[in-house]
Amino acid sequence: MADSVDPSILLPRDGTGRYLHLKLKRFASIEDLSMPYAIKTWKQTPQDAEVDMAPSARSKCRDCQEPIDKGDLRFRLWLQCHKGCKNSAYFHSDCFYRYPETRKLESVQDIKGYQDMDEGIQKSIRASFGAMKKETDENIKSSQIDGEAAKEPTKKKRKVKKSS
């Protein structure tokens, strides 16, 4: 009988259960893909994110693993595997902004279905998205400052030779 393979080796996950091999915008364009199925998924879903009202309670949040209730605001990211195939991942509204790959979105205009939402929902999406981008920019600035401080050369004391 063949040895069984540990599935955690095949699909690595982080501590929260997120798949590490699924990334948003892994490939810049469809020209970077070589697999026919990956090209097909790109043509079927050219967008990277979507928003809608959950039509049922069957979808589960990728971040917190809890079901998304019927009628709740539901976000979807189209994450790409290492071959370029797109996989959908659903999120609660709050979980969507915490998910690291969401930070790769440029603006709320990148989210399909955003224009179809009520004005009040659009306003809350814009506010949450703006807060996420602001936090991301602050984290980048602080990491750059920390990086520059680490790169500053330390002054070495020169040894002075005593003349005899």
Side-chain angles (χ1 to χ4, degrees), residues 148-160:
E148 288 174 7
K151 289 181 183 177
E152 286 182 19
T154 56
K155 291 185 177 182
K156 295 181 180 178
K157 293 182 179 180
R158 289 178 38 187
K159 292 182 180 180
V160 179

Side-chain angles (χ1 to χ4, degrees), residues 37-59:
Y37 186 73
I39 294 169
K40 180 181 175 184
T41 60
W42 269 60
K43 288 180 180 176
Q44 290 174 342
T45 55
Q47 68 276 3
D48 292 317
E50 297 177 25
V51 64
D52 65 355
M53 303 308 274
S56 69
R58 293 180 303 194
S59 55

